[in-house]
Amino acid sequence: MQSGDQSPNINRRTVVAGLALLPALSEALRSMPAVAQTASDASLASWNDGPAKQAILDFVRATTEQGNPKFVAPEDRIATFDQDGTLWVEHPIYSQVVYCLDRVPAVVEKDPKLKNVEPFKTVLSGNREAIARLSLPDLEKILVATLTGMSVDDFEAEAKKWLTTAKDHRWKRLHTDLIYQPMLEAMQYLRANGFKTYIVTGGGQDFVRVYSWQVYGIPPEQVVGTAGGTKFGYHKDGKPFLTKEPRLLLNDDKAGKPEGIHLMIGRRPYAAFGNSDGDRQMLEYTGAGDGARLMMLVLHDDAKREYAYGPASGLPDTKVGRFTQALYDEAKKKNWTVISMKNDWKRIFKFEQNT
Amino acid sequence: MQSGDQSPNINRRTVVAGLALLPALSEALRSMPAVAQTASDASLASWNDGPAKQAILDFVRATTEQGNPKFVAPEDRIATFDQDGTLWVEHPIYSQVVYCLDRVPAVVEKDPKLKNVEPFKTVLSGNREAIARLSLPDLEKILVATLTGMSVDDFEAEAKKWLTTAKDHRWKRLHTDLIYQPMLEAMQYLRANGFKTYIVTGGGQDFVRVYSWQVYGIPPEQVVGTAGGTKFGYHKDGKPFLTKEPRLLLNDDKAGKPEGIHLMIGRRPYAAFGNSDGDRQMLEYTGAGDGARLMMLVLHDDAKREYAYGPASGLPDTKVGRFTQALYDEAKKKNWTVISMKNDWKRIFKFEQNT
């Protein structure tokens, strides 16, 4: 478990007691070295020295240094992170889509007449090429069948079970092991400097909330994602429960990201991290604020250690997580920072040895 | 400004530095008295001794005491508060509706043809009896005209201006002065014990977020309310902005309250406070969880110091904030606590002298 806003590794009551004592302690604390500042470089241990790492350090210094004209009040320090391709691997296919495909047999078992109905028939065939060719409407049918219709509690239990057992095909590891270590460090560094970190993902809000605390140190309420409605009802014994409905409330992608940020957070972030055209509007919205703002985009240019795709910078084109040349040009024009996975990251995953 | 989750009165960087030093300090802290525990009774200074005050003290002790079978992990401590009638005065009419009526002249000035169109014509007449007789569809037209169609920033500026100038008719004070002091103390006491406090209101999410931090010490992202969609767009100079749309995403009342809690918080509260039938499902949902749960309802039985309405307990019936006998009976059956404003609250408002 990562240390987070809620300090999962620290006994909260101790902290609360500590806060209550702060008036007495603050004098002593003031005379001690400013830990967060001096520890900054070590906090980004998996980043190579270079413009990306420097952009993070400069932003944090400007926004947290008392007397700096770009100082930001602690309660306004909000940082948002896209997930797929920004915090964890999204190729060859989004992890949540793998989850949905893996859930199809269970759905068919509950409703056997689906066995011979498309697209379920194709998914059950296990023919990966045919599955990869499924149309968007077919994919949506699978998402609806596997992500809605059950209680919120049942969904959480199913997703949790999958997340602790299913392995990806390339690394043979849990999907939650495929988190980018440098981004974890950036999150932790921002939090250590008073920023409240949010995930703002096109993925399912309920899905990401299942593991966000354990994996990122981000509590469920700080995950903004694509969200459907729920319906309140009662079991026969009178106990209330919520059912997940196939009614889209927020499509948290592209323009939906700033819209989702307004709905769920209610104010403009000071820092935003993304990796694809789906993040453009979130970065534009963040950059439109006054003072210091940090906008960063991860470029997947490391075929050896992870994947290489663009099509920006002449990298291979892709359907999953496109980073177009137009986005690249906009980033350059607006002084957003493009993170080269190959050059800026010393290591990609926690499980790797540092080179 | 109240002290809140984000500790507005404490320099956050000092706190962060303090947290970083905690491993070294924790030994010293452990040997000091548990401040939060011993300060408990004084924290609820505006509450009379009695079952309501005791219910709060018992709940906090059970959920925060190490080794108690009902101990709740700090990161799971969520408490939700209805606003209208629970945190501030809702009679004779919701403050936000007054805001909308007050905004009508400005709307008509911008669009003069509305001058002779109902319901705007009636509102402009100033005839309070006729205004009070407006139908629900007419009222909705006024809400749409005054709460949507403008940018998020313009709305915030307009609401802020009104909140710092408009006075209520009975006390001749700002609406934000009409906050119940005992509930502020309950919120602060819960926060001092590690609870994250949320407002869950049928009122407009964007409206309440304008003043929640200054008035309650609750940041915008911890306000869940009735919410409409926004639309991302660009000014002519390319600068992005969000426009408030008349598209309802969440009707945060009755069953919409637990649905909104799931959407915005993602987990079940341990404590929930309300005052009317609109809060029933929120309290049911909270009470359906395991372990210690605190469910409380404010009964307005104090015509002298505030208002008296039910119709529960033979109090006068009302259209605004109905507390029915059925809700009262359910509360008694399920061991929810009914707070008698008259008997349980030593004082109602901060501006009053303690008796």
Side-chain angles (χ1 to χ4, degrees), chain B residues 189-205:
Chain B
Y189 179 58
L190 284 164
R191 288 197 291 255
N193 283 279
F195 282 84
K196 203 165 178 176
T197 52
Y198 280 82
I199 291 172
V200 177
T201 174
Q205 185 166 277

PDB file of all heavy atoms in Angstrom, chain B residues 189-205:
ATOM      1  N   TYR B 189     -16.186  18.097  15.604  1.00  0.00           N
ATOM      2  CA  TYR B 189     -15.821  17.022  16.513  1.00  0.00           C
ATOM      3  C   TYR B 189     -15.536  15.737  15.731  1.00  0.00           C
ATOM      4  O   TYR B 189     -14.565  15.025  15.997  1.00  0.00           O
ATOM      5  CB  TYR B 189     -16.962  16.812  17.517  1.00  0.00           C
ATOM      6  CG  TYR B 189     -16.712  15.713  18.510  1.00  0.00           C
ATOM      7  CD1 TYR B 189     -15.606  15.750  19.349  1.00  0.00           C
ATOM      8  CD2 TYR B 189     -17.581  14.633  18.604  1.00  0.00           C
ATOM      9  CE1 TYR B 189     -15.375  14.736  20.259  1.00  0.00           C
ATOM     10  CE2 TYR B 189     -17.368  13.622  19.515  1.00  0.00           C
ATOM     11  CZ  TYR B 189     -16.259  13.674  20.336  1.00  0.00           C
ATOM     12  OH  TYR B 189     -16.027  12.668  21.242  1.00  0.00           O
ATOM     13  N   LEU B 190     -16.373  15.452  14.742  1.00  0.00           N
ATOM     14  CA  LEU B 190     -16.137  14.266  13.904  1.00  0.00           C
ATOM     15  C   LEU B 190     -14.817  14.407  13.144  1.00  0.00           C
ATOM     16  O   LEU B 190     -14.020  13.472  13.064  1.00  0.00           O
ATOM     17  CB  LEU B 190     -17.312  14.061  12.943  1.00  0.00           C
ATOM     18  CG  LEU B 190     -18.567  13.474  13.596  1.00  0.00           C
ATOM     19  CD1 LEU B 190     -19.788  13.665  12.714  1.00  0.00           C
ATOM     20  CD2 LEU B 190     -18.368  11.984  13.904  1.00  0.00           C
ATOM     21  N   ARG B 191     -14.568  15.587  12.587  1.00  0.00           N
ATOM     22  CA  ARG B 191     -13.312  15.795  11.854  1.00  0.00           C
ATOM     23  C   ARG B 191     -12.098  15.659  12.765  1.00  0.00           C
ATOM     24  O   ARG B 191     -11.092  15.060  12.389  1.00  0.00           O
ATOM     25  CB  ARG B 191     -13.306  17.172  11.191  1.00  0.00           C
ATOM     26  CG  ARG B 191     -14.236  17.258  10.004  1.00  0.00           C
ATOM     27  CD  ARG B 191     -13.908  18.452   9.125  1.00  0.00           C
ATOM     28  NE  ARG B 191     -14.207  19.717   9.753  1.00  0.00           N
ATOM     29  CZ  ARG B 191     -15.264  20.490   9.448  1.00  0.00           C
ATOM     30  NH1 ARG B 191     -16.118  20.117   8.505  1.00  0.00           N
ATOM     31  NH2 ARG B 191     -15.461  21.637  10.054  1.00  0.00           N
ATOM     32  N   ALA B 192     -12.215  16.190  13.979  1.00  0.00           N
ATOM     33  CA  ALA B 192     -11.099  16.086  14.926  1.00  0.00           C
ATOM     34  C   ALA B 192     -10.822  14.627  15.261  1.00  0.00           C
ATOM     35  O   ALA B 192      -9.732  14.283  15.716  1.00  0.00           O
ATOM     36  CB  ALA B 192     -11.411  16.879  16.188  1.00  0.00           C
ATOM     37  N   ASN B 193     -11.809  13.764  15.015  1.00  0.00           N
ATOM     38  CA  ASN B 193     -11.630  12.346  15.256  1.00  0.00           C
ATOM     39  C   ASN B 193     -11.455  11.560  13.964  1.00  0.00           C
ATOM     40  O   ASN B 193     -11.757  10.367  13.900  1.00  0.00           O
ATOM     41  CB  ASN B 193     -12.794  11.805  16.099  1.00  0.00           C
ATOM     42  CG  ASN B 193     -12.623  12.200  17.563  1.00  0.00           C
ATOM     43  OD1 ASN B 193     -11.873  11.563  18.297  1.00  0.00           O
ATOM     44  ND2 ASN B 193     -13.282  13.277  17.972  1.00  0.00           N
ATOM     45  N   GLY B 194     -10.998  12.231  12.938  1.00  0.00           N
ATOM     46  CA  GLY B 194     -10.574  11.537  11.723  1.00  0.00           C
ATOM     47  C   GLY B 194     -11.660  11.311  10.698  1.00  0.00           C
ATOM     48  O   GLY B 194     -11.400  10.674   9.669  1.00  0.00           O
ATOM     49  N   PHE B 195     -12.863  11.788  10.929  1.00  0.00           N
ATOM     50  CA  PHE B 195     -13.927  11.612   9.943  1.00  0.00           C
ATOM     51  C   PHE B 195     -13.814  12.660   8.842  1.00  0.00           C
ATOM     52  O   PHE B 195     -13.499  13.826   9.098  1.00  0.00           O
ATOM     53  CB  PHE B 195     -15.311  11.703  10.606  1.00  0.00           C
ATOM     54  CG  PHE B 195     -15.699  10.455  11.326  1.00  0.00           C
ATOM     55  CD1 PHE B 195     -15.274  10.237  12.631  1.00  0.00           C
ATOM     56  CD2 PHE B 195     -16.448   9.468  10.698  1.00  0.00           C
ATOM     57  CE1 PHE B 195     -15.595   9.069  13.304  1.00  0.00           C
ATOM     58  CE2 PHE B 195     -16.780   8.300  11.368  1.00  0.00           C
ATOM     59  CZ  PHE B 195     -16.351   8.093  12.673  1.00  0.00           C
ATOM     60  N   LYS B 196     -14.082  12.220   7.634  1.00  0.00           N
ATOM     61  CA  LYS B 196     -14.163  13.115   6.488  1.00  0.00           C
ATOM     62  C   LYS B 196     -15.630  13.511   6.391  1.00  0.00           C
ATOM     63  O   LYS B 196     -16.501  12.639   6.293  1.00  0.00           O
ATOM     64  CB  LYS B 196     -13.705  12.346   5.246  1.00  0.00           C
ATOM     65  CG  LYS B 196     -13.208  13.190   4.105  1.00  0.00           C
ATOM     66  CD  LYS B 196     -12.446  12.317   3.094  1.00  0.00           C
ATOM     67  CE  LYS B 196     -11.977  13.132   1.905  1.00  0.00           C
ATOM     68  NZ  LYS B 196     -11.155  12.317   0.978  1.00  0.00           N
ATOM     69  N   THR B 197     -15.919  14.799   6.475  1.00  0.00           N
ATOM     70  CA  THR B 197     -17.317  15.241   6.495  1.00  0.00           C
ATOM     71  C   THR B 197     -17.758  15.706   5.108  1.00  0.00           C
ATOM     72  O   THR B 197     -17.031  16.431   4.419  1.00  0.00           O
ATOM     73  CB  THR B 197     -17.503  16.396   7.503  1.00  0.00           C
ATOM     74  OG1 THR B 197     -16.534  17.418   7.236  1.00  0.00           O
ATOM     75  CG2 THR B 197     -17.334  15.906   8.929  1.00  0.00           C
ATOM     76  N   TYR B 198     -18.943  15.271   4.718  1.00  0.00           N
ATOM     77  CA  TYR B 198     -19.538  15.621   3.431  1.00  0.00           C
ATOM     78  C   TYR B 198     -20.894  16.278   3.647  1.00  0.00           C
ATOM     79  O   TYR B 198     -21.630  15.906   4.558  1.00  0.00           O
ATOM     80  CB  TYR B 198     -19.782  14.364   2.591  1.00  0.00           C
ATOM     81  CG  TYR B 198     -18.567  13.835   1.891  1.00  0.00           C
ATOM     82  CD1 TYR B 198     -17.646  13.030   2.560  1.00  0.00           C
ATOM     83  CD2 TYR B 198     -18.328  14.123   0.543  1.00  0.00           C
ATOM     84  CE1 TYR B 198     -16.525  12.545   1.909  1.00  0.00           C
ATOM     85  CE2 TYR B 198     -17.207  13.630  -0.111  1.00  0.00           C
ATOM     86  CZ  TYR B 198     -16.309  12.842   0.577  1.00  0.00           C
ATOM     87  OH  TYR B 198     -15.205  12.359  -0.065  1.00  0.00           O
ATOM     88  N   ILE B 199     -21.225  17.219   2.777  1.00  0.00           N
ATOM     89  CA  ILE B 199     -22.604  17.673   2.668  1.00  0.00           C
ATOM     90  C   ILE B 199     -23.259  16.862   1.560  1.00  0.00           C
ATOM     91  O   ILE B 199     -22.672  16.691   0.487  1.00  0.00           O
ATOM     92  CB  ILE B 199     -22.658  19.186   2.362  1.00  0.00           C
ATOM     93  CG1 ILE B 199     -22.170  19.973   3.588  1.00  0.00           C
ATOM     94  CG2 ILE B 199     -24.075  19.620   1.967  1.00  0.00           C
ATOM     95  CD1 ILE B 199     -22.007  21.452   3.335  1.00  0.00           C
ATOM     96  N   VAL B 200     -24.449  16.324   1.834  1.00  0.00           N
ATOM     97  CA  VAL B 200     -25.214  15.605   0.816  1.00  0.00           C
ATOM     98  C   VAL B 200     -26.591  16.255   0.782  1.00  0.00           C
ATOM     99  O   VAL B 200     -27.439  15.978   1.619  1.00  0.00           O
ATOM    100  CB  VAL B 200     -25.295  14.100   1.118  1.00  0.00           C
ATOM    101  CG1 VAL B 200     -26.154  13.384   0.088  1.00  0.00           C
ATOM    102  CG2 VAL B 200     -23.888  13.479   1.149  1.00  0.00           C
ATOM    103  N   THR B 201     -26.775  17.148  -0.171  1.00  0.00           N
ATOM    104  CA  THR B 201     -27.923  18.053  -0.163  1.00  0.00           C
ATOM    105  C   THR B 201     -28.771  17.946  -1.419  1.00  0.00           C
ATOM    106  O   THR B 201     -28.257  17.673  -2.507  1.00  0.00           O
ATOM    107  CB  THR B 201     -27.423  19.515  -0.018  1.00  0.00           C
ATOM    108  OG1 THR B 201     -28.523  20.410  -0.150  1.00  0.00           O
ATOM    109  CG2 THR B 201     -26.404  19.882  -1.095  1.00  0.00           C
ATOM    110  N   GLY B 202     -30.073  18.162  -1.246  1.00  0.00           N
ATOM    111  CA  GLY B 202     -30.940  18.283  -2.411  1.00  0.00           C
ATOM    112  C   GLY B 202     -30.727  19.603  -3.132  1.00  0.00           C
ATOM    113  O   GLY B 202     -31.132  19.784  -4.268  1.00  0.00           O
ATOM    114  N   GLY B 203     -30.053  20.532  -2.471  1.00  0.00           N
ATOM    115  CA  GLY B 203     -29.730  21.820  -3.075  1.00  0.00           C
ATOM    116  C   GLY B 203     -28.704  21.665  -4.188  1.00  0.00           C
ATOM    117  O   GLY B 203     -28.145  20.587  -4.402  1.00  0.00           O
ATOM    118  N   GLY B 204     -28.466  22.758  -4.899  1.00  0.00           N
ATOM    119  CA  GLY B 204     -27.549  22.706  -6.037  1.00  0.00           C
ATOM    120  C   GLY B 204     -26.106  22.540  -5.601  1.00  0.00           C
ATOM    121  O   GLY B 204     -25.617  23.298  -4.761  1.00  0.00           O
ATOM    122  N   GLN B 205     -25.447  21.565  -6.179  1.00  0.00           N
ATOM    123  CA  GLN B 205     -24.060  21.275  -5.817  1.00  0.00           C
ATOM    124  C   GLN B 205     -23.173  22.502  -6.054  1.00  0.00           C
ATOM    125  O   GLN B 205     -22.371  22.868  -5.203  1.00  0.00           O
ATOM    126  CB  GLN B 205     -23.576  20.094  -6.662  1.00  0.00           C
ATOM    127  CG  GLN B 205     -22.203  19.601  -6.335  1.00  0.00           C
ATOM    128  CD  GLN B 205     -21.943  18.238  -6.981  1.00  0.00           C
ATOM    129  OE1 GLN B 205     -22.331  17.201  -6.457  1.00  0.00           O
ATOM    130  NE2 GLN B 205     -21.289  18.237  -8.123  1.00  0.00           N
TER     131      GLN B 205
END
